[in-house]
Amino acid sequence: MRVSLGDREAFSLLYDATSAKLFGVCLRVLNDRAEAEDTLQEVFVKVWHKADQYKANGYSPMTWLITLTRNTAIDRLRSKKAVNVDIADVHDLSDAAPTPEADAIASSERQRLNNCLNELDADRSDAVRRAYLDGDSYKDLAARYDVPLNTMRTWLRRSLLTLKDCLSR
Amino acid sequence: MSQEEDHNDDTALAGEYVLNLLEDDERAAFEARLVAEAALRDRVREWDESLVDLTDGISPVPPPPMVKDRLQATLFPETIRRKRSLWTWLAGSIAAAIIVGFVVLMPSLLQETAYEPTLTASVAAEDGTLVVAAQFIAETKALELVRETGDARPGRVLELWLIAEGSDAPMSLGVLPDDAETRFTLSLDVAQQLTNGVLAISDEPPGGSPTGAPTGDVLAIGPVTSL
């Protein structure tokens, strides 16, 4: 009574159905095609090996895949930064990149995060986006907004709590 | 700290964890707590589910075919068939795009209808504890459902969803009644999205999901197959 597919066929279908979105995420975070391709491959190797974890963790399937992809891309970005010390280069790259998320046409449910982010000061919602999509650390953010590290952390934690309040309204 | 402060602290901490903002030692300490604390894992999942919407505006970009070739060469260097694993289920729940079929025969339903069904699905739990057979009659736009095995959890209901081809947002088709056999008449718009879609059943509070998206566990899924 189940889908009569071999694992590999199912895996191939899963790849065909989701790889374009996940590759888009890799490109957005890494801004580098070769790195994005390697990351996408790494993600699907993890999917193949970790699928049994998925079932137990209660995530919706696309969230699980996108989160895995984003985390893998951020890890790669961070290791690249560690080699490249010059964080400013990476920032310049991401500043120059278009921000397609700005033109997102989302359903009302999906708008909720955006609406709640918009309730924060622009700098503060921007910091959350930068951490999520650009892998900025507290150090990066403190430098960008020109505030001490501890202040940055206090800001961001407060923003997260405000955001959470709004999201659970 | 008061209980509320603890709660807030963990909420912010989980957010920082999801945003990869914790230093290595903080991160390690947090991950150690995650293993033991289900409530903390829930906070992390809530942040993941919320913040993933930041990727909504990212357009899909088809990767070059070489990536898939390389991936398959890495994972399947030989041709030994691996044991079936759970992610067949995962694939089914997402890969609405193209599903190779199976056929379920439902003699009782076939006898009742003057028209031949054009689409069918077996919406089944991985462990077989819930099985709902579905078939769609194009002429009447009737989706006929037979709950063959399983029941709603006590005080809860079963809600049927359609994940249309190319979409990852489930669309509610309705709450299944207590009767084992039922029939939903679909609008033309929904009917047209059945082909190559995936049906899923989730556990919901009485009256169905209050949010328009599944809120409880996804109990069963099955791809829609053309007959």
Side-chain angles (χ1 to χ4, degrees):
Chain A
M1 296 299 279
R2 293 186 197 139
V3 192
S4 48
L5 290 173
D7 272 358
R8 292 181 192 189
E9 281 169 283
F11 185 71
S12 172
L13 294 174
L14 179 71
Y15 182 94
D16 293 343
T18 62
S19 59
K21 175 69 186 185
L22 301 183
F23 190 53
V25 172
C26 291
L27 283 170
R28 170 63 183 81
V29 172
L30 289 157
N31 236 317
D32 179 309
R33 223 178 151 86
E35 294 272 1
E37 287 172 11
D38 287 352
T39 303
L40 186 68
Q41 182 175 342
E42 194 182 336
V43 166
F44 276 98
V45 169
K46 286 182 188 170
V47 169
W48 175 255
H49 292 299
K50 283 188 168 184
D52 52 338
Q53 285 178 22
Y54 164 71
K55 187 93 190 287
N57 66 18
Y59 281 68
S60 64
M62 260 338 265
T63 299
W64 184 70
L65 287 174
I66 293 175
T67 302
L68 184 65
T69 303
R70 180 259 171 191
N71 287 342
T72 306
I74 298 281
D75 283 349
R76 188 173 285 256
L77 188 68
R78 289 272 173 91
S79 59
K80 206 168 72 172
K81 276 187 188 177
V83 176
N84 266 346
V85 194
D86 194 356
I87 292 163
D89 284 350
V90 179
H91 277 144
D92 288 347
L93 268 178
S94 46
D95 284 346
T99 55
E101 56 273 356
D103 343 307
I105 302 162
S107 69
S108 60
E109 177 64 23
R110 295 267 163 108
Q111 290 283 15
R112 208 156 66 147
L113 178 73
N114 262 328
N115 291 341
C116 287
L117 279 170
N118 288 341
E119 285 187 12
L120 300 173
D121 290 345
D123 271 4
R124 305 201 174 185
S125 58
D126 191 49
V128 173
R129 287 196 178 91
R130 283 186 179 282
Y132 191 84
L133 291 171
D134 300 305
D136 277 13
S137 64
Y138 274 133
K139 209 172 132 193
D140 300 332
L141 294 171
R144 167 170 299 274
Y145 300 109
D146 197 22
V147 291
L149 200 68
N150 283 338
T151 308
M152 190 64 232
R153 186 168 189 183
T154 307
W155 263 29
L156 202 126
R157 286 175 62 94
R158 213 171 283 153
S159 304
L160 285 172
L161 290 175
T162 310
L163 198 56
K164 186 72 193 180
D165 263 358
C166 174
L167 286 168
S168 39
R169 277 210 292 269
Chain B
M1 272 198 291
S2 74
Q3 242 181 347
E4 196 188 336
E5 281 168 334
D6 277 347
H7 179 90
N8 280 345
D9 196 54
D10 279 352
T11 299
L13 200 61
E16 288 177 291
Y17 174 75
V18 164
L19 290 172
N20 301 58
L21 288 169
L22 297 178
E23 295 294 332
D24 290 348
D25 51 340
E26 289 173 313
R27 188 176 180 83
F30 186 83
E31 285 179 343
R33 284 186 58 200
L34 270 185
V35 175
E37 298 177 37
L40 206 56
R41 289 198 295 278
D42 288 344
R43 300 252 164 80
V44 168
R45 195 184 62 238
E46 285 160 19
W47 277 120
D48 275 331
E49 294 277 1
S50 296
L51 291 171
V52 77
D53 290 355
L54 286 172
T55 66
D56 277 357
I58 298 178
S59 306
V61 181
M66 174 266 288
V67 177
K68 188 175 180 184
D69 296 344
R70 230 168 41 185
L71 178 68
Q72 287 180 320
T74 306
L75 287 175
F76 319 126
E78 24 55 48
T79 52
I80 301 164
R81 198 185 160 79
R82 308 206 178 198
K83 71 177 167 64
R84 275 180 74 91
S85 73
L86 289 167
W87 65 263
T88 307
W89 187 90
L90 174 67
S93 67
I94 301 173
I98 347 121
I99 302 282
V100 183
F102 64 103
V103 175
V104 189
L105 291 176
M106 289 169 289
S108 64
L109 278 174
L110 284 172
Q111 281 158 15
E112 281 172 22
T113 173
Y115 297 107
E116 293 290 314
T118 50
L119 300 170
T120 180
S122 173
V123 193
E126 181 76 13
D127 60 5
T129 51
L130 176 65
V131 180
V132 173
Q135 62 177 17
F136 178 68
I137 318 288
E139 285 83 356
T140 57
K141 296 198 283 296
L143 183 67
E144 300 182 328
L145 301 155
V146 179
R147 186 154 42 78
E148 298 176 336
T149 312
D151 222 329
R153 293 171 180 169
R156 306 278 291 176
V157 300
L158 299 172
E159 186 162 357
L160 183 70
W161 303 85
L162 169 65
I163 303 141
E165 181 176 21
S167 160
D168 50 72
M171 175 192 324
S172 176
L173 299 183
V175 171
L176 297 181
D178 292 338
D179 297 340
E181 295 195 18
T182 189
R183 175 179 306 196
F184 291 169
T185 303
L186 305 184
S187 69
L188 182 61
D189 176 50
V190 173
Q192 284 170 341
Q193 299 183 62
L194 266 184
T195 305
N196 293 330
V198 170
L199 293 177
I201 293 171
S202 67
D203 171 57
E204 299 295 342
S209 163
T211 67
T215 59
D217 294 341
V218 174
L219 301 174
I221 68 149
V224 177
T225 311
S226 300
L227 286 174

